[in-house]
Amino acid sequence: MEPAADRRYILTLSCPDRTGIVARISGFLAEAGAWILEAAYHAEPEENWFFTRQVVRASSVPFNVDELRARFAPVAAEFGPDVTWQVTDTGAVKRAVLLVTKEPHCLHDLLGRVSAGELPVRLEAVIGNHPELAEIVRAHGVAFHHVPFPGAGTRDREAARADAFEQVRELVRVHDPHAIVLARFMQILPAQLCAGWAGRAINIHHSFLPSFAGARPYHQAHARGVKLIGATCHYVTPDLDAGPIIEQDVIRVDHGDTVGDMVRRGRDIERLVLARGLRWHLEDRVLVHGNKTVVFR
């Protein structure tokens, strides 16, 4: 539990835009005695949509977060049936589950950041479709679950994949995490899981211009003389690698870089982008609207 002086209540809201929203929310918080520490706003004129994130000092509110939610509910209802809002308490530690395959770089980075207290989350479990990363996970005191997936030549492969994903779904369900992170998990989630984990499942993948799909993307990029490589962190949807984007970044490469250099630099940028995206998600800085995001950094 964080010290009382550091504890915050975070209110996020999005709704059709109109005059008076900021005044109404600010007035409500003032009436509640809430001391506002951060206030961010954004309006999309083309879509006539409004977004806000408000952070208040928890100790300034003379009642608990449940009461704050109950009192704000009728205020939010004033903004129409399409309003989306929540109030969270930083004193309640959020939970995450990681999905991995064999590549360790994103896993190592997140384990280190969690261990050092750099991410506001409790890592409940890591689920891998290969056992290679179990030792490092358990060395950090985190449970590792191995769920094998069928190979290309497996008989009744689709049924076996469905069974494996059902095991993964059940393992995740037990922890009810706020974030399910695909830390280089090289399996495509079925549509049913994408729907069940909507707004919680976060993926990381390389980004190139032009785009190189399929196997050995860095080899393809090297062969084309790419000058920028990067990474994209996004929410998972049934449309592969096309969900709402949380964060992106790039790093320069040139003709002197080998494929190995590009792979190494690509892993560096994947680590950073995933860590940033996960942090902003956990801090309720990301508001999703359709296939876009507003990120209050």
Side-chain angles (χ1 to χ4, degrees):
M1 181 70 69
E2 65 184 326
D6 296 330
R7 191 171 179 180
R8 309 285 188 257
Y9 295 151
I10 302 173
L11 184 156
T12 59
L13 177 143
S14 67
C15 65
D17 203 2
R18 64 171 175 81
T19 59
I21 300 174
V22 173
R24 184 69 180 94
I25 295 173
S26 299
F28 165 80
L29 292 174
E31 290 171 10
W35 185 323
I36 299 175
L37 298 170
E38 294 180 47
Y41 310 96
H42 176 70
E44 290 278 356
E46 293 181 359
E47 299 183 34
N48 193 44
W49 214 262
F50 173 82
F51 307 84
T52 187
R53 178 179 183 269
Q54 308 274 327
V55 182
V56 303
R57 182 173 291 160
S59 60
S60 69
V61 180
F63 40 80
N64 65 25
V65 71
D66 292 329
E67 179 69 15
L68 183 62
R69 290 190 191 105
R71 294 191 182 199
F72 185 70
V75 176
E78 296 174 15
F79 304 134
D82 296 324
V83 65
T84 300
W85 66 278
Q86 66 174 9
V87 178
T88 58
D89 178 359
T90 64
V93 180
K94 292 187 176 178
R95 303 172 299 280
V97 171
L98 308 187
L99 308 185
V100 299
T101 296
K102 289 183 177 180
E103 292 192 36
H105 58 287
C106 287
L107 173 66
H108 278 283
D109 185 71
L110 294 178
L111 286 171
R113 291 176 188 271
V114 171
S115 223
E118 294 179 8
L119 285 172
V121 71
R122 181 171 64 243
L123 190 53
E124 298 285 355
V126 176
I127 303 168
N129 62 324
H130 291 274
E132 281 82 349
L133 301 179
E135 185 175 347
I136 182 62
V137 172
R138 290 171 180 149
H140 280 262
V142 178
F144 182 88
H145 305 283
H146 176 215
V147 178
F149 276 64
T154 305
R155 185 178 178 181
D156 297 327
R157 182 168 182 257
E158 288 308 308
R161 277 177 56 80
D163 288 344
F165 272 120
E166 177 58 24
Q167 292 181 56
V168 171
R169 186 198 66 78
E170 180 59 23
L171 287 167
V172 170
R173 185 197 64 79
V174 167
H175 298 292
D176 189 24
H178 299 87
I180 302 115
V181 184
L182 281 63
R184 301 300 291 161
F185 181 61
M186 308 306 289
Q187 298 288 330
I188 299 173
L189 297 187
Q192 185 178 6
L193 272 189
C194 292
W197 295 349
R200 293 188 295 158
I202 296 172
N203 194 17
I204 183 73
H205 67 85
H206 60 76
S207 301
F208 297 112
L209 188 63
S211 177
F212 300 107
R216 296 161 66 89
Y218 286 97
H219 292 75
Q220 297 178 60
H222 185 266
R224 286 290 300 274
V226 161
K227 300 299 186 283
L228 287 173
I229 61 174
T232 295
C233 176
H234 63 92
Y235 289 112
V236 178
T237 66
D239 297 321
L240 183 62
D241 294 339
I245 293 170
I246 304 170
E247 170 64 339
Q248 293 178 297
D249 207 346
V250 295
I251 189 169
R252 296 198 67 85
V253 294
D254 63 28
H255 58 274
D257 288 304
T258 66
V259 172
D261 292 331
M262 292 176 67
V263 170
R264 174 175 51 81
R265 295 187 182 189
R267 287 173 176 166
D268 285 345
I269 205 72
E270 286 176 4
R271 292 182 183 99
L272 283 173
V273 169
L274 181 57
R276 287 179 198 153
L278 178 58
R279 170 176 287 280
W280 295 337
H281 170 81
L282 294 168
E283 291 179 345
D284 301 310
R285 295 184 180 277
V286 187
L287 278 65
V288 179
H289 181 61
N291 203 44
K292 295 173 63 177
T293 61
V294 170
V295 183
F296 291 117
R297 289 179 286 186

